[in-house]
Amino acid sequence: MDDLLERLSAGLPAEALITDPDITASYAHDMASFCDAGAPAVVVLPRTVEQVQHVMRTATALRVPVVPQGARTGLSGAANASDGCIVLSLVKMDRILEIDPVDRIAVVEPGVINAVLSRAVNEHGLYYPPDPSSWEMCTIGGNIGTASGGLCCVKYGVTAEYVIGLEIVLADGRLLTTGRRTAKGVAGYDLTRLFVGSEGSLGIVVGAVLALKPQPPQQLVLAAEFPSAAAACDAVCRIMERGHTPSLLELMDRTTVRAVNKMGHMGLPDSTEALLLAAFDTPDPTADLTAVAELCDAAGATDVVPAADAAESELLLQARRMSLTALETVKSATMIDDVCVPRSKLGAMIEGTAAIAEKYDLTIGVCAHAGDGNTHPVVCFDHTDADESRRARESFDEIMALGLELGGTITGEHGVGLLKKEWLARELGEVSVEMHRGIKAAFDPLGLLNPGKVF
């Protein structure tokens, strides 16, 4: 321990090192349930690429594991510390280095907050679409590590589609530059895409070139109430089948609607079994919402409420944004799943989740990025009740199994981390797992980067 601190201190300012165990303990884990966390030997908060390189050279020389972190808003345990590790927090590397309206790119450090970047590019008439629910807290580096999504994915896609270049500090301290600044480029293997979603297991992201889009018109939102989740999912299928491209298409089941109603006094009727929110940012969103309203009516909606302007749209979106917070008030703990299925199987996924909730005598609310089939079943349980905690974990696993049975994936945007590593092998298969481990060994031969995660 003394040797580690002495070597780190040789290349870092004193304020970049935290050794107080009461403080380092606060860096030990992210927001996931049921994921073990160890006690880090030290927390390092670098401000420069050179300082990150120094940390990695020191870690390699002493064979000390390193756990990279952003804002720790993740939900898979990917940022959890291991005993005796260096926690490498990138939150102090928070500069927006460049915004180029001509090439439509931003160059940023990993600690930049998503919402800060979004507002900064808006000032140039540009738009950075990926918008996780934690966008006011989460960092771009963390978004890249988990390949995060957001509410607008149905139209604009996920983080991976906007990362076109990276600067990576490798396990041995070397600096790797991947990708490009150009609109097109296919030189060599796509190493940039390889690092997106790698959860800090292949290298440390210290810089990113991000693609931007022109800022779209203000979106208008429609809320449709349904007598069943199946009817709401039928509406989703009709909307997508007819070729509509909403900027947002979100669904909340009965449990979620009631939790939101109770917390936010939204005034939704108790008869609402599912709430569908659709938004368009097209030049004529009113026409698009009218067409979608007709499709919702045809699917059996009991009420359809289109917003008249941006202010009303924001009020309608408040219900979706408070979903997870509202479900957290149901019990003392929540476990948030992240299963993505084909859109055509969305109804079966939600109905199957309801059956699992009944089987295990638990409250499980589902909110979903319905437009891309990404469901977030939220298991609510009393963490002080051992039996209820066991049932929560078992229900979580059964929900993932259901997703795979329906042709889906165990994670659409939250990542694998610790929480789902056992399930990853089931989804990928033996040959794919072997290839993944070979890639890991090529970039991190000593196994120092985020050990125990993903594989």
Side-chain angles (χ1 to χ4, degrees):
M1 176 67 171
D2 290 342
D3 190 19
L4 172 63
L5 294 178
E6 182 178 344
R7 293 202 188 194
L8 288 173
S9 298
L12 294 167
E15 64 270 16
L17 293 171
I18 300 175
T19 57
D20 184 331
D22 290 334
I23 299 177
T24 59
S26 67
Y27 286 84
H29 56 86
D30 62 17
M31 299 178 69
S33 301
F34 295 110
C35 291
D36 293 333
V42 59
V43 173
V44 181
L45 294 99
R47 290 184 179 271
T48 68
V49 172
E50 292 74 20
Q51 290 174 3
V52 176
Q53 290 181 284
H54 173 69
V55 171
M56 293 314 305
R57 292 187 187 113
T58 301
T60 293
L62 299 179
R63 305 298 195 264
V64 178
V66 177
V67 176
Q69 286 185 352
R72 290 175 288 114
T73 57
L75 294 163
S76 69
N80 284 18
S82 55
D83 285 332
C85 76
I86 298 170
V87 162
L88 185 59
S89 173
L90 285 305
V91 295
K92 298 294 185 182
M93 296 179 68
D94 59 356
R95 294 180 300 163
I96 299 174
L97 302 175
E98 181 182 353
I99 298 173
D100 187 332
V102 175
D103 290 325
R104 294 180 182 172
I105 60 170
V107 182
V108 304
E109 292 183 328
V112 173
I113 300 297
N114 184 296
V116 171
L117 174 64
S118 295
R119 294 181 182 118
V121 301
N122 286 166
E123 294 178 4
H124 295 264
L126 297 169
Y127 178 43
Y128 181 66
D131 60 343
S133 295
S134 58
W135 78 308
E136 293 282 7
M137 300 177 287
C138 64
T139 63
I140 295 299
N143 294 168
I144 292 170
T146 59
S148 61
L151 300 185
C152 72
C153 294
V154 61
K155 180 174 182 178
Y156 292 104
V158 296
T159 297
E161 295 167 62
Y162 294 89
V163 181
I164 61 174
L166 290 171
E167 280 201 326
I168 305 284
V169 173
L170 298 174
D172 59 9
R174 289 180 295 166
L175 185 63
L176 169 69
T177 300
T178 76
R180 63 193 194 279
R181 292 172 58 103
T182 54
K184 297 193 298 184
V186 294
Y189 296 134
D190 191 351
L191 296 183
T192 302
R193 199 67 175 253
L194 179 62
F195 278 96
V196 179
S198 64
E199 302 183 36
S201 64
L202 300 179
I204 311 295
V205 173
V206 291
V209 181
L210 305 174
L212 305 174
K213 289 188 174 296
Q215 190 170 5
Q218 181 69 51
Q219 66 180 1
L220 283 182
V221 180
L222 169 151
E225 300 170 23
F226 289 88
S228 70
C233 293
D234 179 33
V236 170
C237 292
R238 291 170 185 251
I239 291 166
M240 303 308 293
E241 183 180 25
R242 293 294 180 89
H244 294 287
T245 308
S247 55
L248 174 148
L249 192 58
E250 298 288 306
L251 187 148
M252 299 157 57
D253 74 346
R254 173 186 182 183
T255 299
T256 307
V257 168
R258 292 192 174 185
V260 167
N261 238 357
K262 182 177 180 181
M263 179 180 182
H265 309 291
M266 302 300 291
L268 297 171
D270 290 339
S271 59
T272 301
E273 294 291 320
L275 181 70
L276 185 66
L277 299 174
F280 287 87
D281 57 7
T282 52
D284 186 11
T286 302
D288 291 303
L289 290 182
T290 298
V292 166
E294 292 174 357
L295 294 174
C296 288
D297 284 334
T302 54
D303 195 16
V304 179
V305 181
D309 52 32
E312 285 188 15
S313 293
E314 186 58 33
L315 285 173
L316 291 174
L317 287 178
Q318 281 184 9
R320 174 61 181 90
R321 290 196 179 121
M322 70 172 63
S323 293
L324 297 182
T325 303
L327 287 168
E328 287 172 353
T329 66
V330 175
K331 289 277 188 171
S332 64
T334 57
M335 194 173 188
I336 303 173
D337 215 326
D338 168 40
V339 177
C340 192
V341 297
R343 295 186 193 100
S344 58
K345 303 295 184 182
L346 184 59
M349 184 68 203
I350 293 177
E351 289 180 346
T353 300
I356 291 169
E358 184 176 355
K359 173 182 175 180
Y360 287 95
D361 191 23
L362 292 167
T363 298
I364 303 179
V366 181
C367 49
H369 306 311
D372 51 24
N374 197 172
T375 67
H376 294 310
V378 181
V379 183
C380 307
F381 65 99
D382 181 355
H383 74 283
T384 65
D385 184 325
D387 182 67
E388 192 162 308
S389 295
R390 173 192 60 78
R391 285 184 280 122
R393 181 66 213 226
E394 290 179 4
S395 72
F396 184 88
D397 286 343
E398 198 159 320
I399 289 169
M400 284 192 287
L402 173 63
L404 291 181
E405 289 169 11
L406 294 173
T409 175
I410 60 170
T411 177
E413 56 187 5
H414 292 171
V416 176
L418 289 169
L419 191 62
K420 298 187 175 183
K421 58 184 294 185
E422 294 179 7
W423 281 91
L424 183 62
R426 303 189 200 188
E427 177 174 336
L428 296 183
E430 184 178 343
V431 175
S432 183
V433 167
E434 181 182 344
M435 294 297 102
H436 277 72
R437 287 177 174 161
I439 292 169
K440 167 71 171 172
F443 283 97
D444 182 23
L446 298 177
L448 299 180
L449 287 169
N450 220 2
K453 313 296 172 52
V454 188
F455 293 104

